[in-house]
Amino acid sequence: MIPPDHPRYRSLVIRELLAENVKKGIVSLEGLTAQGRGEAFDYFIGERTTASAILAEKTAAALLLTARHPVISVNGNAAALAAYEIAALQKASGALVEVNLFHRTEERVHLIEDLLRSAGSDIFSGPAERLLPLSHDRAWCRREGMFSADVILVPLEDGDRCEALVTMGKTVIAVDLNPLSRTSRRATLTIVDELTRALPNISEACRTITRSEREELKSSLDNNYLLSEAIREMTMRLSHALD
Amino acid sequence: MIPPDHPRYRSLVIRELLAENVKKGIVSLEGLTAQGRGEAFDYFIGERTTASAILAEKTAAALLLTARHPVISVNGNAAALAAYEIAALQKASGALVEVNLFHRTEERVHLIEDLLRSAGSDIFSGPAERLLPLSHDRAWCRREGMFSADVILVPLEDGDRCEALVTMGKTVIAVDLNPLSRTSRRATLTIVDELTRALPNISEACRTITRSEREELKSSLDNNYLLSEAIREMTMRLSHALD
């Protein structure tokens, strides 16, 4: 039991939520460490959505809405943290939701699919094949799902998988709190924001941006600018700590 | 199995080591998230010991060597990551080694004590009492151990425990990769470095610094300067990413 007078109560409660999901088999142990990395980077952007992240989230909405075959790729951490936000984004964007795991077992895939379904997502499932040019379990995906997608939203993705998808010619939208990561640098569009803040913002933009705004957002997409702004924000906050 | 061609192979292997120690009951699930936070901050200082961290480590040696009753407080993460380094520091400094846990059970205390013993530490053990002014399990310690200590090294400590120890008049040496944390700001001396790099540096300094150097290091201790240097280092590395 975490005492409510603990100054980092909220952060510790989220850790406990993830710990419970480890016990259920949804989150991998390695996923907990990844969550901690995210927490540290979130700390540096002030645990809030920055102006450049809002722009990235609107651009993500534009890419999803104008895609031929958009897919949201979900892993254990994303499902544990944001199952309801994923279901809402599916409704707003019309994208397929597909489970893809780094630490893959059939049992974990089914547990995560069940969690997402219970939160309201319509899951694209069925037999997976080793279709991506990668050496480990993340090579698996479904021919009519991620493999055929033109636009893929990958929350909390690892670097080599992101790279493989970009190399295959896909438009990759990453949600990654580390603006220096390989995923951030290789993605077509990187949203440097915490997942449960980012997804509702994308859904909201899906519901509100006009057709002409979509084209404008897409044509002015500059991922280097978005990453630089995130780094600038972190640098500024660190410098202020010196005052 | 992590494929050896994965670009973050080393980091993933450490995560697996910790994951194994979760299964053994040494590391708490929440400890994995804390490890991830540390990894992110380590990334910002370039995953190496900075010049100001070396100064902090020498000062830590001076404080331990001149203490009346020095104690090294060990938790699950510290034991899993650095059992051998802790044993070596005990030999070099003559400090007591005492296990203190945030997520405390008698069973975890014994498992961690056994791990430390097998790596060569002489453990100060026995019945604990609720002696610290804190609302949760970390209030427990031993009257002749941490409670009586004048100098305490707390690797990977949480903020309110650090604060309680300082309020009790103790000299607290923290090892914390986040220079903005409450632990870092409240400690008498903060070493902003990764644990398995920091501890051998303190041991080495224990063996080499002279008596007059000890006094000089102690009298010139300026924790604000050390924290500012760490923040400056992180700011500089982030700014370079913008080039």
Side-chain angles (χ1 to χ4, degrees):
Chain A
M1 256 291 288
I2 298 158
D5 64 344
H6 194 290
R8 288 201 61 78
Y9 180 71
R10 192 176 162 279
S11 158
L12 293 173
V13 165
I14 289 174
R15 290 187 205 180
E16 279 214 340
L17 167 74
L18 285 169
E20 278 163 32
N21 275 288
V22 166
K23 285 165 195 156
K24 288 183 196 158
I26 304 276
V27 169
S28 71
L29 291 176
E30 292 74 11
L32 288 184
T33 324
Q35 163 69 13
R37 289 172 72 95
E39 281 180 19
F41 287 105
D42 199 17
Y43 192 85
F44 280 127
I45 56 164
E47 295 176 334
R48 62 182 176 71
T49 301
T50 63
S52 58
I54 282 280
L55 175 61
E57 286 152 1
K58 284 182 179 167
T59 309
L63 290 170
L64 289 169
L65 289 174
T66 57
R68 178 182 47 76
H69 185 50
V71 169
I72 304 169
S73 172
V74 181
N75 65 13
N77 278 30
L81 291 169
Y84 288 97
E85 290 85 349
I86 289 165
L89 179 58
Q90 179 175 42
K91 279 187 189 63
S93 68
L96 288 186
V97 172
E98 184 179 347
V99 173
N100 281 288
L101 305 179
F102 191 100
H103 297 277
R104 181 191 175 87
T105 66
E106 282 303 313
E107 195 198 344
R108 272 194 78 217
V109 171
H110 290 141
L111 279 168
I112 293 168
E113 288 179 346
D114 288 346
L115 172 63
L116 292 169
R117 269 192 208 101
S118 73
S121 276
D122 183 21
I123 304 299
F124 183 77
S125 189
E129 302 166 67
R130 290 190 74 131
L131 294 171
L132 305 186
L134 290 165
S135 63
H136 50 66
D137 289 348
R138 279 208 153 181
W140 291 82
C141 70
R142 293 169 192 86
R143 193 169 289 275
E144 302 306 317
M146 180 180 271
F147 186 69
S148 308
D150 56 341
V151 176
I152 306 182
L153 174 69
V154 284
L156 320 177
E157 189 55 85
D158 80 306
D160 54 352
R161 179 132 156 151
C162 176
E163 200 153 350
L165 294 169
V166 169
T167 305
M168 289 165 78
K170 300 183 189 305
T171 296
V172 177
I173 306 166
V175 182
D176 192 330
L177 279 156
N178 177 359
L180 306 174
S181 74
R182 276 191 315 130
T183 298
S184 287
R185 291 172 176 281
R186 291 297 282 132
T188 318
L189 168 66
T190 306
I191 297 166
V192 182
D193 200 2
E194 193 273 329
L195 191 63
T196 64
R197 294 195 305 265
L199 296 182
N201 288 342
I202 304 173
S203 298
E204 173 66 15
C206 282
R207 288 187 292 264
T208 54
I209 56 172
T210 64
R211 278 181 194 277
S212 67
E213 280 173 322
R214 291 179 197 174
E215 294 313 314
E216 204 180 304
L217 285 161
K218 280 168 65 178
S219 64
S220 56
L221 164 56
D222 178 352
N223 206 42
N224 281 334
Y225 165 79
L226 294 170
L227 293 177
S228 296
E229 283 299 298
I231 293 167
R232 213 179 301 277
E233 178 75 29
M234 292 181 180
T235 311
M236 205 188 65
R237 291 186 63 87
L238 269 172
S239 306
H240 282 180
L242 288 171
D243 295 345
Chain B
M1 257 292 288
I2 297 158
D5 64 344
H6 194 290
R8 289 201 59 81
Y9 181 70
R10 193 177 160 277
S11 158
L12 293 172
V13 165
I14 289 176
R15 290 187 206 179
E16 281 215 338
L17 167 72
L18 284 169
E20 278 164 34
N21 275 288
V22 167
K23 286 165 195 155
K24 286 183 197 159
I26 303 278
V27 169
S28 71
L29 291 175
E30 290 75 10
L32 287 184
T33 322
Q35 163 69 12
R37 287 172 73 94
E39 280 179 20
F41 287 106
D42 198 17
Y43 191 86
F44 279 126
I45 56 164
E47 297 176 332
R48 64 184 174 68
T49 301
T50 64
S52 58
I54 283 279
L55 175 59
E57 286 151 3
K58 284 183 179 168
T59 309
L63 290 170
L64 289 169
L65 290 174
T66 58
R68 177 182 47 76
H69 184 51
V71 169
I72 303 169
S73 172
V74 181
N75 65 13
N77 278 31
L81 291 168
Y84 288 96
E85 290 84 349
I86 289 165
L89 178 57
Q90 179 176 42
K91 278 188 189 65
S93 68
L96 287 186
V97 172
E98 184 179 348
V99 173
N100 281 289
L101 305 179
F102 190 102
H103 297 276
R104 182 191 174 87
T105 65
E106 281 304 312
E107 195 198 344
R108 273 194 77 216
V109 170
H110 291 140
L111 280 168
I112 293 168
E113 288 179 347
D114 287 347
L115 172 63
L116 291 169
R117 270 192 207 100
S118 73
S121 276
D122 183 20
I123 305 299
F124 182 77
S125 191
E129 302 165 69
R130 291 190 75 131
L131 294 172
L132 306 186
L134 290 166
S135 63
H136 51 66
D137 289 349
R138 278 208 152 180
W140 291 83
C141 72
R142 292 170 193 85
R143 194 169 287 277
E144 302 306 316
M146 180 180 271
F147 186 70
S148 309
D150 56 341
V151 175
I152 305 181
L153 174 69
V154 284
L156 321 178
E157 189 55 83
D158 81 306
D160 54 352
R161 178 130 157 154
C162 175
E163 199 153 350
L165 294 169
V166 169
T167 305
M168 290 166 78
K170 300 184 188 304
T171 296
V172 177
I173 307 167
V175 182
D176 192 331
L177 279 157
N178 177 0
L180 306 175
S181 74
R182 279 190 315 132
T183 299
S184 287
R185 291 171 176 279
R186 291 295 283 133
T188 318
L189 168 66
T190 307
I191 298 166
V192 182
D193 200 3
E194 194 273 327
L195 190 64
T196 63
R197 295 195 304 266
L199 296 181
N201 288 341
I202 305 173
S203 298
E204 174 66 15
C206 283
R207 288 186 292 265
T208 54
I209 56 172
T210 63
R211 279 181 192 276
S212 67
E213 280 173 322
R214 291 179 198 174
E215 295 312 315
E216 204 180 304
L217 285 162
K218 280 169 63 178
S219 64
S220 55
L221 164 55
D222 178 352
N223 207 40
N224 281 334
Y225 166 78
L226 294 170
L227 293 177
S228 297
E229 283 298 298
I231 293 168
R232 213 179 301 279
E233 178 75 29
M234 291 182 182
T235 311
M236 206 188 64
R237 290 186 64 86
L238 268 172
S239 307
H240 283 181
L242 289 171
D243 295 345

